[in-house]
Structure formats: C-alpha cells, structure tokens
Amino acid sequence: MATNRTFTMLKPDAVRKGYIGAILEQITASGFRIVAMKLTELTVNDAKTFYEVHKERPFYNDLVEYMTSGPIVAAILEKENAVEDFRTLIGATNPEEAAEGTIRQKFATSISENAVHGSDSDENAAIEGAFHFSGREQF
Ligand code: IDP
Ligand code: MG
C-alpha cells in the first residue's frame, strides 16, 4: 500500500556547504510537507546497515566514511506519490547525469557526495523513517 511518505537525508557535504535552507526550500516549494525532521549523525554501524545492499560494491567503504563524516538532516516527507516524485526532484545518482534544476544537479559535489538521499520504495521509506523517528516525532 502506498503511504504517500518518503524518507530523505541531506548528506554531510550539503550540510557542510550550508545548503540546508536552500534544499528544504526547494523540497517544500515542490509540494512536500515535512512530517518529521532532525539534525543528527550516522554512526559507522548505522551507515553500514543503511547501505548494506551495496556492501559488495567498490565504493562501499568510502560511502560509509563519507556518510559518517558530519551531521545530516533526516526527514520524513509527505506528498501524493512521494517516493517517485521525490526521486524525480533529486535527480540521477550522478549529478553530471541529473536533469537541469534537480537538487543533485544544483547542490551535489560528485557521484559519491551527492547532497541528498531519497528512498527507493514505499517499503524502504517506512523502514528508513522508523529508524530515525518514533511515532510521536511524526506529525
Ligand atoms: P541513490 O542514492 O540514487 O539511490 P544508490 O545506487 O542507491 O543511489 O547508491 C547509494 C549511494 O552510494 C549514492 O547516493 C552515492 O552516495 C553512492 N554511490 C552510488 N554509486 C556510486 C559510485 O559509482 N561511486 C561512488 N559512490 C556511489
Ligand atoms: Mg538507492
């Protein structure tokens, strides 16, 4: 069942570069409602678990190091068709391939340091959101 919710992280490069406000502005201007949000940090174990599907990939260790290199903004977003529409808003994983005007095209540093995460399914959105937020932190 589609829940109309997705989960996002503004990744350490975006936070370091001072893009929190600009990215949240684009997200809310695109029709997403912020249901939960916090400035937080992933532990090495958190990052390893979060990206476990990529553990055989050559970039896995660098990815874990990067995702634990500083604070992130974690948030749950609500909109009709949230998962798919948010993936469209952020653009391709590689910012060089991301469509004009997408968040990654505008704010990403590279294919690894690509500014923002967006869940790839309703199921993962629910798992990822529940990892960061209790029921009473979701509005
Ligand atoms: P996604 O974030 O667009 O869903 P995934 O393929 O799920 O992309 O990869 C997860 C994250 O791993 C990416 O957002 C990026 O930070 C990193 N990553 C993916 N592919 C590469 C790569 O080829 N080189 C370096 N980092 C990568
Ligand atoms: Mg992914």
Side-chain angles (χ1 to χ4, degrees):
M1 189 194 74
T3 57
N4 296 330
R5 288 188 174 193
T6 192
F7 172 76
T8 187
M9 293 183 286
L10 310 193
K11 297 183 178 185
D13 62 304
V15 173
R16 257 192 300 274
K17 288 180 166 179
Y19 293 155
I20 294 174
I23 293 174
L24 290 178
E25 167 61 24
Q26 185 163 352
I27 290 171
T28 54
S30 301
F32 293 86
R33 187 173 77 84
I34 296 168
V35 172
M37 186 166 68
K38 69 173 85 165
L39 188 65
T40 182
E41 198 166 43
L42 297 180
T43 66
V44 169
N45 264 345
D46 293 340
K48 283 184 171 170
T49 305
F50 195 88
Y51 287 111
E52 193 154 23
V53 301
H54 296 306
K55 68 172 183 289
E56 305 302 337
R57 309 284 290 279
F59 58 80
Y60 181 67
N61 287 335
D62 287 346
L63 177 59
V64 170
E65 190 175 336
Y66 155 60
M67 287 301 297
T68 58
S69 68
I72 60 158
V73 173
I76 297 174
L77 305 172
E78 188 172 74
K79 182 183 180 295
E80 203 175 301
N81 202 36
V83 166
E84 193 184 340
D85 286 3
F86 192 69
R87 295 289 304 201
T88 301
L89 179 65
I90 67 178
T93 306
N94 184 350
E96 288 176 12
E97 293 165 7
E100 190 65 31
T102 57
I103 291 174
R104 281 170 165 167
Q105 186 266 321
K106 288 161 70 177
F107 300 107
T109 309
S110 65
I111 188 170
S112 51
E113 306 203 359
N114 59 4
V116 60
H117 166 80
S119 303
D120 61 9
S121 66
D122 287 323
E123 186 191 4
N124 283 336
I127 293 168
E128 292 165 6
F131 178 81
H132 287 278
F133 300 102
S134 66
R136 62 182 293 184
E137 294 174 306
Q138 301 182 32
F139 296 91

